Amino acid sequence: MPKSDFPIEYLEWLATNHQGKALAALPNLTDHLLMYSGSMLNLVGSYISDENIHWSLQNLPVDSITLTGVNPKWNKVLNKVAWSPTKLRVLMENDPSVITTFDNCEFSDVPILIRKEENSLKVLDGMHRMIAAIRDRVESIQAYVGEHSGEPKRVIEPHVVYDFIKVFG
């Protein structure tokens, strides 16, 4: 955050200007996704850009999916239920105050993203929709499931390389 005497109007202009330049410099939507997911410290962009991941649209039982981390407040609750949709639903039923932790969750028909790891299906993107499905007692959810068909071929964003050079160069 800039000093309190820095003009907020200029900061808004500067951020919008840089956003426009960054988007114009990126050749495709995958690059946009890599930048956005990198800034949010999640792996969505890496999975989408990995050419050794095969994606298929599936209708999955909600209880067959392992929940994943989102933020410290949510993670505290999810850790209590061992990242299990079934156990979270039971906790919500037994302690309705838990539901307020997830007030901003809405279910929609937009598929979530799932990463398959050995015999486990883990939420990659869509935890808000997943939590809403659990709360609303939805039995199955549409998901794009990503499954490795070889060694991962992750893409490293240019800013990561730049940061390493800056720190260690």
Side-chain angles (χ1 to χ4, degrees), residues 50-62:
D50 188 331
E51 62 189 46
N52 282 337
I53 293 181
H54 170 74
W55 294 95
S56 61
L57 182 61
Q58 299 179 29
N59 194 35
L60 300 172
V62 167

Side-chain angles (χ1 to χ4, degrees), residues 49-111:
S49 64
D50 188 331
E51 62 189 46
N52 282 337
I53 293 181
H54 170 74
W55 294 95
S56 61
L57 182 61
Q58 299 179 29
N59 194 35
L60 300 172
V62 167
D63 289 346
S64 71
I65 300 168
T66 301
L67 304 173
T68 55
V70 178
N71 61 54
K73 183 179 176 184
W74 283 28
N75 294 353
K76 187 176 178 181
V77 174
L78 298 174
N79 194 41
K80 282 183 189 178
V81 297
W83 310 94
S84 164
T86 307
K87 291 178 182 177
L88 179 58
R89 187 179 306 102
V90 169
L91 180 62
M92 288 176 166
E93 290 168 357
N94 293 334
D95 182 0
S97 69
V98 171
I99 295 172
T100 62
T101 303
F102 308 105
D103 275 346
N104 61 341
C105 295
E106 291 184 29
F107 184 74
S108 76
D109 292 333
V110 175

Side-chain angles (χ1 to χ4, degrees), residues 1-16:
M1 202 64 192
K3 288 176 45 180
S4 61
D5 63 347
F6 195 88
I8 191 71
E9 298 82 17
Y10 185 78
L11 183 60
E12 290 170 349
W13 175 86
L14 190 61
T16 301

Side-chain angles (χ1 to χ4, degrees), residues 141-152:
I141 192 165
Q142 288 278 300
Y144 285 103
V145 178
E147 189 170 355
H148 282 282
S149 59
E151 287 297 314

Side-chain angles (χ1 to χ4, degrees), residues 106-146:
E106 291 184 29
F107 184 74
S108 76
D109 292 333
V110 175
I112 64 172
L113 295 180
I114 296 288
R115 65 182 196 266
K116 185 171 183 181
E117 295 180 0
E118 296 176 13
N119 294 325
S120 180
L121 300 171
K122 296 183 177 182
V123 177
L124 177 61
D125 184 70
M127 276 293 291
H128 285 78
R129 287 167 281 164
M130 184 69 182
I131 296 291
I134 294 164
R135 180 197 61 219
D136 299 347
R137 295 181 177 90
V138 174
E139 292 184 19
S140 63
I141 192 165
Q142 288 278 300
Y144 285 103
V145 178

